Amino acid sequence: MPEPSDDRGPVEQLPVAFDDPAYREAVVDLLGALAYGELTAFDRLAEDSTTAPDTADKAELAAMACAEFGHFTRLRDQLGRLGADPYLAMEPFKETFDRFHAKTTPRNWLESLIKAYVGDGLASDFYREVAAYLDEQTRMLILEVLEDSGHSAFAVERVRSAIAADPRVGGVLALWGRRLVGEALSQAQVVASERDSLAALLAGGVDRPGMDLAAIGRMFARLTENHAKRMASLGLSA
Amino acid sequence: MPEPSDDRGPVEQLPVAFDDPAYREAVVDLLGALAYGELTAFDRLAEDSTTAPDTADKAELAAMACAEFGHFTRLRDQLGRLGADPYLAMEPFKETFDRFHAKTTPRNWLESLIKAYVGDGLASDFYREVAAYLDEQTRMLILEVLEDSGHSAFAVERVRSAIAADPRVGGVLALWGRRLVGEALSQAQVVASERDSLAALLAGGVDRPGMDLAAIGRMFARLTENHAKRMASLGLSA
């Protein structure tokens, strides 16, 4: 049983799955990645809000940023409950997320909106897939944290009306969407190859079902399909 | 009676003070200024969080940013209840706040913390003074929104330990504190001179007590005194 964090008072009962140290390590890795991802999402949305065309739009993006920060705090607190140092748990994923954002800095307001909508959508889908292999407590937390807080309707509406006003922007934005998904997948691959615990989690164990190569292939097919749907809802080809 | 905003359903009863159109105008001005101030505080804290020395400190500043954004949404909603367009109400104050922030861009992490603590403290004191002249509903909202959410202890602790580690930084940071208060007062003066409604609010009316010049002088004395106390708690001379 890991040490509870200092401020929790009585020891909370963790699901039995955590008796396996490899499982615990994998969950700490996953929540660390997710938490750091939420924190950088806060960062990026807050920064992008400064390019908003007016104060009302700026407030919309700021609201999205703060929603992501709220998710961050929940994940950080759960890491504490697992007896992990939350910031140490995030550390291994900093470079990957920072690299992703450095390579996908939006050049304008519309690119920011697409990144918020398409990028978060893809990440959510991925974490949801992984959550299916976790104990119920962790799975519920992840699903709650990933729940769309209704902000994406705003991004879709803004991008669609910009394309309606000037159909030529559609081509450039479609390229942007493709670049986002390409970078996201290549960074995800780096994480999977560097963190054995996460790869092991997906592969399963004697007592836990996992994904074989065919299942991983099907997962990627689902991710790409959902991505194409999101692009279509923006009025863009995937 | 002003029109209620579209999404409110039944008309809410506004305090009787709002029967006076000049009073309503002054409150809309005041809440507009306060709301835009909170939104720029969000902006600035979010941006400053990117210079944090580590992820834990970054999260502290991000939490402060999101607290300010929460205040912003409450003020924006109250403007809607008063029948005002919240973003139009903020418009007259944009230039002043943007100028203040442009003139007081922190050069490093410690300057960011001092600006967050000293700047917000001064602004809070000022709005609290003004709130004393308002109807109870508006006054309670302002006081709630200004309540310190416990984040300032963090800033104080970090600045004090930086000075303990290297006492020479104290001199530079003391200058920074003086510059902040000077800029804040000079921007406040611009607002007061441009917005007749706010000046009239402070001056009072036949049925409302107001501030004479002596009272305004005493208010400034209180503001400066509290500022000096904050600087002292940081270990800096005012």
Side-chain angles (χ1 to χ4, degrees), chain B residues 21-161:
Chain B
Y23 180 78
R24 180 182 168 279
E25 193 192 329
V27 170
V28 167
D29 260 5
L30 188 71
L31 298 182
L34 192 43
Y36 194 74
E38 294 282 6
L39 189 60
T40 60
F42 160 82
D43 254 1
R44 175 243 308 170
L45 289 164
E47 196 188 323
D48 291 355
S49 80
T50 61
T51 67
D54 60 40
T55 310
D57 280 357
K58 178 199 192 73
E60 285 282 348
L61 234 59
M64 289 165 88
C66 290
E68 307 274 18
F69 185 74
H71 300 161
F72 164 80
T73 59
R74 295 197 54 195
L75 294 160
R76 181 187 59 188
D77 295 349
Q78 178 67 9
L79 281 163
R81 274 191 287 274
L82 296 179
D85 176 328
Y87 294 102
L88 272 182
M90 296 176 212
E91 196 63 36
F93 307 100
K94 281 176 76 163
E95 208 185 311
T96 308
F97 279 103
D98 293 348
R99 201 188 305 125
F100 172 72
H101 288 303
K103 287 193 168 187
T104 58
T105 306
R107 283 161 300 186
N108 54 51
W109 170 241
L110 291 175
E111 289 193 354
S112 296
L113 290 180
I114 292 177
K115 183 170 171 182
Y117 174 59
V118 161
D120 291 356
L122 186 68
S124 291
D125 282 349
F126 174 70
Y127 287 116
R128 251 182 259 271
E129 292 273 356
V130 176
Y133 295 88
L134 303 177
D135 65 282
E136 195 188 345
Q137 189 186 86
T138 310
R139 184 169 65 247
M140 296 311 292
L141 171 68
I142 292 181
L143 295 181
E144 276 170 49
V145 154
L146 295 178
E147 208 163 273
D148 187 313
S149 24
H151 292 297
S152 62
F154 165 76
V156 171
E157 192 275 314
R158 285 296 190 282
V159 173
R160 292 188 75 99
S161 51

Side-chain angles (χ1 to χ4, degrees), chain A residues 72-93:
Chain A
F72 164 80
T73 61
R74 296 196 54 192
L75 295 159
R76 180 186 61 188
D77 294 351
Q78 179 67 9
L79 282 163
R81 275 191 285 275
L82 296 178
D85 176 327
Y87 294 103
L88 273 182
M90 296 174 211
E91 196 62 37
F93 307 101

Side-chain angles (χ1 to χ4, degrees), chain A residues 117 156 159-160 163 167 170-171 174 228-238:
Chain A
Y117 174 60
V156 170
V159 173
R160 291 189 74 99
I163 296 172
K229 277 186 201 152
R230 274 186 293 269
M231 292 295 280
S233 76
L234 292 170
L236 298 171
S237 59

Side-chain angles (χ1 to χ4, degrees), chain A residues 120-142:
Chain A
D120 291 356
L122 186 69
S124 291
D125 282 349
F126 174 71
Y127 288 116
R128 253 182 257 269
E129 292 273 356
V130 176
Y133 294 88
L134 303 177
D135 65 282
E136 196 188 344
Q137 189 186 86
T138 311
R139 185 170 65 246
M140 295 313 290
L141 171 68
I142 292 181

